[in-house]
Each structure stands twice: as structure tokens, then as C-alpha cells.
Amino acid sequence: MPEGKYSILVVNGPNLGYIGQRHPGTYGTQGMDAMHTILEKDRPGLSARIHLSRFQANGEGEIIDRLEQAWKDKVQGLVINPGAYTHTSLALGDCLAWINIPHVEVHLSNIWSREEIRRQNLTAAQSLGVIAGFGVMSYVLGLEALVWHLDKIQD
Ligand code: DQA
């Protein structure tokens, strides 16, 4: 197992600042703090291997600026929920492509089981893979998958 902690940034896009309160029937009742609680209580091994930062913004440009900063800072991995920009933002897709930081795209809801427009995805092609439909647990599973991948490429 590689030594040291991976530096990982969790990015949330628009309307994801109030997870747990926004449409709980669709997105669940747990907030982002639950991600940290699950990591500490149920996934101590995973938790010990990552150095986690979190960022949320509603604006496309702010998210892109933060991702460019992550590239400058040599952040090793990302878990990103682009929110509605998933379906509309070529700019965000372009950014994820050029910064080329290994990342997992996550969604609280299963975007393929919802309205047709949510099946259009301009960001996922840049990702290692997508985890959707498990509420806040999608982020934990995303982190697990990301660390598995980072270990694999270090071997
Ligand atoms: C979402 C799904 C998107 O379609 C939606 O616009 C969101 C949240 C999710 O996490 O399920 O804002 O990304």
C-alpha cells in the first residue's frame, strides 16, 4: 500500500450548498457532514488514507477557478458533483479534461431514472466513472473508488 495520504478535493456545484434540506425526497435528508461521519465511523481505514478538502459554489466560473487551483496545488484526486452543470456545461467538461486530475463523478440521485434532460451529460466522459443514486453515500463510495484507482496506478 502506498505511503502517505492522498490529497483529495470534494467539489459540489450549484444548489448543492443545502444538501439534506433541498428536496429531501429526491436528494435525501443527510447533509455533507454525514459524509465525514460515515468516513470516521464506518470507514476509518479509508478516512486515514485521505486528506480531504471541500468546496461548493453555485457559479460555473468559480468552480472552474477552484479546479484550476487544484491543478496548481497538485491535488491528487477529485470527487465532483457538478449538479445541473453536468447536463449543460461544456466549459466544466473542458476544464476537467485539461486539468486531467483523476476523478469520480457522483450524484445524490440516479440521474438516469429522472427527466430526459438529466441523461445528457457533458462531464462524465472525463471521469474514471460515475456513482449515482445513493444520497450522501455516493460521495463515500466515490472516495473509495478513487483511492482504489490511485493505489492501482501507483503499483
Ligand atoms: C444532482 C442531479 C442533477 O441533475 C441536479 O441538477 C442536481 C443534483 C444529484 O446529485 O443528484 O443539482 O447532481
Side-chain angles (χ1 to χ4, degrees):
M1 191 187 288
E3 286 181 19
K5 293 188 180 200
Y6 293 120
S7 59
I8 295 176
L9 175 65
V10 174
V11 178
N12 272 322
N15 298 305
L16 294 170
Y18 293 90
I19 295 175
Q21 295 176 65
R22 171 190 174 203
H23 298 307
T26 304
Y27 298 119
T29 53
Q30 290 184 307
M32 283 305 289
D33 287 351
M35 177 186 79
H36 298 283
T37 308
I38 296 168
L39 281 170
E40 279 159 30
K41 282 180 138 180
D42 304 337
R43 301 282 202 285
L46 174 62
S47 182
R49 306 218 36 232
I50 55 183
H51 183 266
L52 215 52
S53 311
R54 245 171 66 191
F55 176 78
Q56 190 274 330
N58 294 319
E60 203 172 17
E62 277 171 273
I63 298 168
I64 292 169
D65 288 346
R66 184 65 188 87
L67 290 172
E68 288 180 346
Q69 188 61 47
W71 173 77
K72 282 190 211 155
D73 294 344
K74 299 192 179 359
V75 165
Q76 289 165 289
L78 305 168
V79 168
I80 182 164
N81 182 348
Y85 292 143
T86 305
H87 318 296
T88 61
S89 180
L90 186 58
L92 189 50
D94 281 354
C95 175
L96 289 166
W98 89 257
I99 62 171
N100 200 23
I101 301 175
H103 68 276
V104 177
E105 178 170 313
V106 299
H107 296 280
L108 297 153
S109 64
N110 178 351
I111 52 175
W112 294 277
S113 70
R114 302 180 62 195
E115 307 95 300
E116 188 67 35
I117 182 73
R118 293 183 206 274
R119 292 186 191 171
Q120 168 169 298
N121 190 319
L122 300 183
T123 50
Q126 316 305 334
S127 72
L128 297 165
V130 181
I131 297 173
F134 299 96
V136 166
M137 193 65 193
S138 291
Y139 293 80
V140 177
L141 297 171
L143 287 167
E144 201 140 49
L146 183 61
V147 167
W148 172 81
H149 172 84
L150 294 173
D151 281 351
K152 194 170 60 131
I153 60 174
Q154 292 225 338
D155 279 346

